[in-house]
Amino acid sequence: LFVGAVESLDYEVIENYAYREEQQAQRSKFWVPYYIMLKWFFALLIGVGTGLAAIFINLAVENFSGWKFTLTFAIIQHSYFVGFLVYILLNLALVFSSVYIVTQFAPAAAGSGIPEIKGYLNGVDTHGILLFRTLVGKIFGSIGSVGGGLALGKEGPLVHTGACIASLLGQGGSAKYHLNSRWVQIFESDRDRRDLVTCGCAAGVAAAFRAPVGGVLFALEEVTSWWRSHLMWRVFFTSAVVAVVVRSAMNWCDSGKCGHFGAGGFIIWDISGGQEDYSYQELLPVAIIGVIGGLLGALFNQLTLYITKWRRTYLHKKGKRVQIFEACLISLITSTVSFVLPLLRKCSPCPELETNSGIQCPHPPGTDGNFVNFYCSKDNEYNDLATIFFNSQDDAIRNLFSAKTFHEYSAQSLITFLVMFYSLAVVTFGTAVPAGQFVPGIMIGSTYGRLVGMSVVKFYKKLNVDEGTYALLGAASFLGGSMRMTVSLCVIMVEITNNLQLLPLIMLVLLISKAVGDFFNEGLYEEQARLKGIPLLDSRPKQVMRNMNAKDACKNQKVVCLPRVSRVVDIVSVLQSNKHNGFPIVERGQNGESLVIGLILRSHLLVLLQSKVDFQNTPFPCGPGILNRHNFSDFVKPASSKGKSIDDIHLTDEELGLYLDLAPFLNPSPYIVPEDMSLAKVYNLFRQLGLRHIFVVPRPSRVVGLITRKDLLLEEDGNTATTELQSTSSLPER
């Protein structure tokens, strides 16, 4: 569990002496253009990097799958058992490589990564999720797990991959592996890093589905908690760059230079040649698909939640060997099911196909297409269940979506595949491999969607109904019922199917499936985030907060304050005795009462204790010139890192007896709320501003002034550069 390994991010500008000195140094007329240009340049690099990573993963998965199917089909012509053995061993080797990389090298690369990234953009930093080794583990682990035929996808991990690339670019690379550059390390605040990671998330979706607009909306709707128009432009630009990079790769692969790479990989399930219109009579079966998607999606979330809890409580605590054994066992089961089940179905004769349809029956082994000849006695026969199992997932979905292929699948085969693949997806989700749920969800939904389509074809004999259309609606309904996305998912489905005619039907099934799913539980990512101990703040406060005030929320807390000039031994004692990450700083007023003058972060105290250059012999305040002893980057914590610990700092008895003036390093203007403010208002303030700490104080006794809208509409003057930087750059935040 990640419980105890998470730390809040701080998006607030800490306006202390160090920040003001930096503002003075950055007032040159060249600084702001350079800063803006670098942000757009990074958006370009994120798009190119994520696109190249997606190309590499897709080519590797498609080629591994192609070699595997070609070799298997060649061997079973002579010996079924030997072909079965080779197929199992190939899948086992790929899955073993994936789980070994994750368990031994990059534990944070397990799963889809979307709950962790959603937590990061919500203000929670989970250790290890954005490191270089996590990026490497995500890329190569996805190739092994997806190429090995497990019931999971590579689209979720691509979102995490894009976020890792964005974070590494923002901090100039990886210092641990000596892959860093100092000249781009100006994005040192959590606020700037958050914007880059948002671009990376959108780039991941755009690369996974070839859906640039869907990527922007996914970042807006699903992962980020804070948004503004300037960020929208950069995210849109990043997604557009990804689309260009992926399109260039596809044009290059069309010349046959990509090995076994077929129509799959870069997803585009073109069903534009299918059903072009719909009748009002079809709204009822479409609504039924939405209800089924909501029920099965909610059930999927609940089952994966129970199994993941059991897995974490009993199984994964026994060590890495158990995790490796578990993944290999699931690989054996999946391979056996996919190889044995098609034998239970009889081969069917090839139907008469239109000459210009571009579909072969049966299609050549090792390539993508419908109508797979799997151990059939005649050459012009195919096995409908093998058509789903013995294809890469992208190609299997394309077959289920394909238009003008009536009666390609029997109802018995679709039901068999639905039950088995649903069960395998539930069991596989949560293993120690990179695992996305987009494509498995589409496969599950398209299966029962095609079943409903077959029923509609039989019932409404005069309507121009295509089974592939209902497969698309089923896929949308299951994703809506499981992940609870609406707008972004709707656009993604339209982009990847190239069919705008069905937009109203997709909207209808998404609304119904989300409403049904919400009746039972939360979305998949929210459930998994809670299970991993990631404290997400929802978009709305809970109803009970409206009957509570700010004082009620913090009445059981022990506030630990430090005097402005503190003894080093007292600071060390405070840091050792509690785990607070922020400490109010107090100073004696003229009347002898304690006045709060600001807030200092734990991480800043650790930097000061480790450097030792600010220690003084006298218990009296000093001037701000002391800051000249520090570089601004001294206070920056690397992204997704544990940072410094009090146990790593060693001080002599003489040093412990010295003093430290904390005034130059604290935040002199933290956000403050009166103790009787509604907790719901505090919640909204905290989440919308991306805060880490809020001071709760007694009701103020007098009013200094009153600010209205017109007071904030200042005329532009020569200080616009300072205003721009204040809104985008800050001290290193924790």
Side-chain angles (χ1 to χ4, degrees), residues 476-553:
S477 72
F478 186 83
L479 292 179
S482 175
M483 299 176 183
R484 312 292 158 77
M485 297 187 296
T486 52
V487 179
S488 58
L489 184 57
C490 182
V491 173
I492 289 172
M493 297 305 291
V494 171
E495 286 188 280
I496 63 180
T497 55
N498 196 25
N499 194 325
L500 197 60
Q501 299 286 344
L502 304 176
L503 181 60
L505 297 183
I506 296 175
M507 295 171 67
L508 178 62
V509 295
L510 284 174
L511 290 171
I512 294 175
S513 61
K514 175 176 168 45
V516 173
D518 284 340
F519 182 78
F520 295 99
N521 50 34
E522 289 186 286
L524 179 66
Y525 299 138
E526 288 77 9
E527 296 277 11
Q528 293 297 319
R530 183 174 292 104
L531 185 62
K532 293 179 179 181
I534 301 173
L536 292 179
L537 291 181
D538 296 330
S539 58
R540 292 181 300 175
K542 292 181 170 56
Q543 187 64 32
V544 67
M545 292 183 178
R546 303 190 183 280
N547 301 321
M548 301 173 63
N549 56 36
K551 187 176 181 180
D552 295 332

Side-chain angles (χ1 to χ4, degrees), residues 285-286 288-289 292 414 447-458 465 470:
V286 168
I288 293 174
I289 288 179
I292 296 173
L414 291 177
T447 304
Y448 68 74
R450 188 138 187 149
L451 278 168
V452 174
M454 293 167 61
S455 302
V456 174
V457 169
K458 290 181 180 178
V465 176
Y470 283 82

Side-chain angles (χ1 to χ4, degrees), residues 558-560 574-575 578-583 602 693:
K558 179 184 177 183
V559 180
V560 180
V574 167
L575 294 178
N578 64 77
K579 296 183 179 180
H580 296 336
N581 285 301
F583 302 93
R602 181 189 191 93
H693 303 99

Side-chain angles (χ1 to χ4, degrees), residues 125-185:
D125 187 12
T126 305
H127 172 62
I129 62 169
L130 296 174
L131 300 181
F132 178 72
R133 66 171 182 268
T134 303
L135 172 63
V136 174
K138 210 74 179 183
I139 292 175
F140 289 96
S142 297
I143 293 172
S145 60
V146 179
L150 293 181
L152 41 83
K154 57 185 179 292
E155 284 67 30
L158 262 175
V159 175
H160 193 177
T161 298
C164 288
I165 292 173
S167 177
L168 290 169
L169 285 172
Q171 56 184 321
S174 174
K176 181 178 180 180
Y177 297 98
H178 307 290
L179 300 170
N180 60 332
S181 174
R182 295 289 303 175
W183 69 275
V184 295
Q185 293 184 10

Side-chain angles (χ1 to χ4, degrees), residues 279-576:
S279 168
Y280 289 108
Q281 294 173 280
E282 296 179 66
L283 294 181
L284 177 59
V286 168
I288 293 174
I289 288 179
V291 173
I292 296 173
L295 293 174
L296 290 181
L299 178 62
F300 182 87
N301 292 359
Q302 206 62 40
L303 290 176
T304 53
L305 185 65
Y306 289 148
I307 293 178
T308 306
K309 280 183 179 179
W310 175 84
R311 183 180 273 131
R312 291 174 179 273
T313 305
Y314 299 105
L315 206 59
H316 287 181
K317 285 186 176 180
K318 296 181 180 179
K320 297 177 180 178
R321 290 186 178 181
V322 175
Q323 296 179 14
I324 295 174
F325 176 78
E326 177 199 21
C328 292
L329 178 62
I330 292 176
S331 174
L332 287 173
I333 294 172
T334 304
S335 300
T336 303
V337 167
S338 61
F339 212 94
V340 172
L341 278 183
L343 292 178
L344 304 180
R345 296 294 307 160
K346 293 181 180 180
C347 291
S348 305
C350 286
E352 295 183 5
L353 297 170
E354 297 178 8
T355 55
N356 60 349
S357 64
I359 300 175
Q360 293 178 269
C361 182
H363 82 256
T367 62
D368 63 288
N370 303 64
F371 306 111
V372 172
N373 186 324
F374 180 77
Y375 218 57
C376 295
S377 57
K378 298 179 181 179
D379 292 338
N380 63 338
E381 290 183 336
Y382 75 98
N383 189 308
D384 60 345
L385 197 52
T387 298
I388 309 177
F389 275 121
F390 280 90
N391 266 308
S392 65
Q393 290 182 353
D394 294 345
D395 293 329
I397 295 170
R398 185 174 290 103
N399 295 345
L400 289 167
F401 281 0
S402 62
K404 311 304 181 186
T405 53
F406 293 100
H407 313 301
E408 177 182 356
Y409 303 98
S410 64
Q412 294 87 343
S413 293
L414 291 177
I415 293 173
T416 303
F417 177 80
L418 176 62
V419 172
M420 294 307 303
F421 194 82
Y422 190 94
S423 304
L424 289 172
V426 168
V427 174
T428 307
F429 189 78
T431 51
V433 294
Q437 280 307 115
F438 272 104
V439 167
I442 292 174
M443 289 191 71
I444 292 169
S446 58
T447 304
Y448 68 74
R450 188 138 187 149
L451 278 168
V452 174
M454 293 167 61
S455 302
V456 174
V457 169
K458 290 181 180 178
F459 189 76
Y460 299 122
K461 295 181 180 180
K462 295 182 180 180
L463 292 179
N464 181 25
V465 176
D466 198 295
E467 297 172 4
T469 300
Y470 283 82
L472 163 66
L473 298 176
S477 72
F478 186 83
L479 292 179
S482 175
M483 299 176 183
R484 312 292 158 77
M485 297 187 296
T486 52
V487 179
S488 58
L489 184 57
C490 182
V491 173
I492 289 172
M493 297 305 291
V494 171
E495 286 188 280
I496 63 180
T497 55
N498 196 25
N499 194 325
L500 197 60
Q501 299 286 344
L502 304 176
L503 181 60
L505 297 183
I506 296 175
M507 295 171 67
L508 178 62
V509 295
L510 284 174
L511 290 171
I512 294 175
S513 61
K514 175 176 168 45
V516 173
D518 284 340
F519 182 78
F520 295 99
N521 50 34
E522 289 186 286
L524 179 66
Y525 299 138
E526 288 77 9
E527 296 277 11
Q528 293 297 319
R530 183 174 292 104
L531 185 62
K532 293 179 179 181
I534 301 173
L536 292 179
L537 291 181
D538 296 330
S539 58
R540 292 181 300 175
K542 292 181 170 56
Q543 187 64 32
V544 67
M545 292 183 178
R546 303 190 183 280
N547 301 321
M548 301 173 63
N549 56 36
K551 187 176 181 180
D552 295 332
C554 59
K555 62 182 179 182
N556 296 325
Q557 293 180 0
K558 179 184 177 183
V559 180
V560 180
C561 299
L562 290 170
R564 171 180 173 171
V565 182
S566 301
R567 292 183 65 196
V568 173
V569 65
D570 295 334
I571 297 175
V572 172
S573 176
V574 167
L575 294 178
Q576 288 176 338

